[in-house]
Amino acid sequence: MTVPIECSKVKFAVAAVREATLMVRRVQQELVTPAITKEDRSPVTVADFAAQALVGKRLEEAFPEMGFVGEENADALRGEEGRETLEQITHFVRQAEPDASPEDICKWIDRGAGEAADEFWTLDPVDGTKGFLRRDQYAVALAYIRDGYVRVGVLGCPELVDGVRPEKRGPGSLLVARRTSGSWVASLSGDQESWQRLAVSDQANVSGARLLRSVERAHTNTGGIGQLVARLGITADPVPMDSQAKYAVLAAGGGEVNLRLLSPKRLDYREKIWDQAAGSIVVEEAGGKVSDLDGKPLDFSYGRTLATNRGILATNRHLHDTLLTGLKRIGA
Ligand code: AMP
Ligand code: MG
């Protein structure tokens, strides 16, 4: 069975994210070895740039006129300091594009410096870079946005099975959503393209909520989450998980709440569009609800950040109002 949605953008995004995610996984297998030191971020740098180059190339072929907003740009690769990294990136990109030159690769990456126009694509080539390096959860996330709304989103999650169950080096998951057409999951490996429709959990009792949060304390406010959990009588401990895999698990019914509070050290932080676009539509189309901490819908018409939103609250819908009330009570 091919993608169960008749839409050229969906077909494109599924193919591009699958190709990029499989490449990112190969980079991890080859470069994240026990020998690398804890501080060495070079494997994720190579994976990030290689994935953005490949998706940039695919977008150039399929939608040459359309805007593209990617997390990365090739500035750091152009000088002498970037030469070795660019060589490594070229090695991986050539597995998909054998004739790619280092100059081509920089050009494809820099397609991502585009404007967030009326319609555009946005990419997080490796979301959850710390998870990638720890061999925990990470995701490749691509979304199509028109008039400030996400219309199509695709997540490649190599460390999830059926979009919901963490499994190291398993088949991985590919999730796709299109506005009004639902959310779907298939195996990332693509061996058996049997797409399954996703539905959020129907848990309506807040005490039974499973709450997903960032692993990295700097990306949220774990103290605030603790207060909220206590105030609402949530019995289970929050589940730490990197990347938009949190949205995938919520869409697939493996949790009820994905919460991003503002870090007390960065109260001015505004979410990057590529960190939320694909994941948010996957949850909404699975029946969930996504807003900011004030209950405002996410507005993707302000460029590279969600400038008019504060934090993120994504739920299975049934628990949304209860969580918003709790957030108000703790002053989050
Ligand atoms: P997570 O995997 O949930 O920790 O989220 C990873 C994303 O957090 C990265 O892609 C960053 O863009 C984003 N991020 C970086 N700094 C902050 C911050 N101060 N607050 C919230 N998110 C952040
Ligand atoms: Mg990210």
Side-chain angles (χ1 to χ4, degrees), residues 33-231:
T33 60
I36 67 161
T37 63
K38 254 191 144 176
E39 290 72 39
D40 185 1
R41 290 182 51 85
S42 58
V44 76
T45 306
V46 172
D48 251 331
F49 282 120
Q52 183 159 323
L54 194 55
V55 173
K57 160 74 168 150
R58 295 290 173 254
L59 281 169
E60 183 177 271
E61 293 162 349
F63 300 100
E65 305 301 326
M66 223 181 268
F68 174 34
V69 175
E71 183 174 13
E72 308 298 341
N73 71 68
D75 291 352
L77 300 176
R78 289 212 161 86
E80 181 54 29
E81 324 80 76
R83 198 177 48 82
E84 202 178 312
T85 309
L86 184 55
E87 267 168 28
Q88 284 182 301
I89 297 164
T90 307
H91 161 77
F92 286 100
V93 173
R94 279 190 181 152
Q95 294 173 5
E97 281 293 317
D99 298 329
S101 69
E103 296 73 44
D104 290 335
I105 287 169
C106 288
K107 190 188 74 184
W108 297 335
I109 292 168
D110 276 341
R111 284 186 59 81
E115 287 295 306
D118 292 348
E119 63 170 349
F120 64 99
W121 294 85
T122 188
L123 174 74
D124 194 336
V126 181
D127 184 33
T129 53
K130 302 259 177 65
F132 174 90
L133 289 169
R134 279 192 251 99
R135 291 185 169 274
D136 288 333
Q137 295 300 323
Y138 63 97
V140 175
L142 179 66
Y144 167 69
I145 293 172
R146 197 175 68 231
D147 299 331
Y149 291 96
V150 186
R151 310 293 174 145
V152 172
V154 178
L155 293 176
C157 299
E159 304 291 316
L160 284 180
V161 178
D162 297 332
V164 69
R165 203 172 62 254
E167 188 178 307
K168 301 250 184 217
R169 277 164 252 198
S173 299
L174 195 65
L175 296 92
V176 57
R178 177 180 180 245
R179 188 71 61 200
T180 72
S181 301
S183 288
W184 302 77
V185 65
S187 162
L188 174 65
S189 63
D191 299 340
Q192 355 140 16
E193 279 251 28
S194 56
W195 291 89
Q196 303 286 329
R197 195 160 182 161
L198 292 170
V200 292
S201 133
D202 55 14
Q203 173 66 264
N205 189 339
V206 74
S207 64
R210 291 161 295 176
L211 190 151
L212 305 156
R213 66 142 169 101
S214 298
V215 176
E216 298 302 321
R217 285 166 184 268
H219 295 173
T220 190
N221 176 356
T222 47
I225 291 176
Q227 280 178 36
L228 184 74
V229 162
R231 161 119 12 199

